[in-house]
Amino acid sequence: MSRRLVAITGGCGFIGRHLARALSLAGWRTRLIDTALPESRAFPWGLGGVADWEFARGDVTDREGLSRILTDAEAIVHLAGISVARRWQDRPLEAFRVNALGTANVVDAGAATRARRVVLASSRHVEVASAAGWLDVYAASKAVAETWVRATGHVVARFDNVYGPGQAPGAVIPDFIVRGLAGGYPYGHPKGETVPLL
């Protein structure tokens, strides 16, 4: 009997690597879908030593390609997206295309290939921005993605500041640590805010 398969978009990234390892330990096979090639370095910096994964180069904006890649996946965890502020601010149309249209493509391709469950990784930023009465490009694109996923009966998970071993500089916690070790504040201009961590 073959082991069940979970497809992970954005699977070569920080969260994707950790998820692939956890699923492998739980008895699942994983297919990591990414535009970047997987790193062969030892886990958690790469996928070296992680069992039962395969790689498929793919882009969530390519609907036709997703159908081929998602064949035989029982579930899809959709992590791919543009979340780095500098990138979505500089290229808002690309961010909307990847985050909103990419999600619709994943859900549609999953339905065509009979995946039983799609889980979207979203952000608490959607809730914060909505409560404040404004939506930037990132929050708007993720809000559309969430609406699409919920409308098709699937699951949305809102993350905020996920951190852990193997995370590259440029993320919240590694940057906090660098600034703290240099004698500075976590933020350049502290305002007394709290930052949820996962």
Side-chain angles (χ1 to χ4, degrees):
M1 183 170 135
S2 65
R3 298 174 85 183
R4 296 180 298 170
L5 175 70
V6 176
I8 306 171
T9 68
C12 295
F14 166 66
I15 297 173
R17 294 191 309 269
H18 282 271
L19 180 59
R21 181 173 182 267
L23 287 169
S24 173
L25 292 173
W28 290 82
R29 290 185 305 129
T30 56
R31 179 173 298 140
L32 309 181
I33 301 163
D34 213 309
T35 56
L37 294 172
E39 291 257 358
S40 59
R41 294 189 292 168
F43 179 83
W45 297 100
L47 288 157
V50 176
D52 296 316
W53 64 272
E54 59 190 64
F55 174 72
R57 191 166 203 154
D59 189 321
V60 296
T61 62
D62 175 11
R63 170 61 183 82
E64 187 176 315
L66 283 173
S67 287
R68 291 189 303 272
I69 293 170
L70 293 174
T71 301
D72 72 348
E74 187 168 325
I76 304 163
V77 180
H78 179 38
L79 302 174
I82 294 177
S83 59
V84 177
R86 189 179 327 107
R87 190 166 169 202
W88 57 254
Q89 289 166 348
D90 291 346
R91 295 187 272 184
L93 184 58
E94 179 189 6
F96 193 84
R97 186 178 298 118
V98 171
N99 294 347
L101 179 59
T103 298
N105 284 338
V106 168
V107 171
D108 190 55
T113 58
R114 295 194 169 90
R116 291 170 46 195
R117 175 64 65 212
V118 176
V119 178
L120 167 68
S122 189
S123 170
R124 191 181 73 92
H125 186 70
V126 175
E127 179 183 347
V128 171
S130 297
W134 54 267
L135 287 178
D136 53 36
V137 170
Y138 178 67
S141 66
K142 283 295 194 178
V144 170
E146 287 187 7
T147 300
W148 192 274
V149 168
R150 286 192 181 106
T152 54
H154 294 290
V155 176
V156 172
R158 284 185 175 166
F159 300 153
D160 202 8
N161 299 315
V162 178
Y163 73 99
Q167 190 169 35
V172 172
I173 296 305
D175 286 356
F176 280 6
I177 292 168
V178 167
R179 287 192 287 269
L181 290 173
Y185 291 101
Y187 286 116
H189 303 286
K191 301 171 188 162
E193 68 266 49
T194 59
V195 179
L197 305 173
L198 176 62

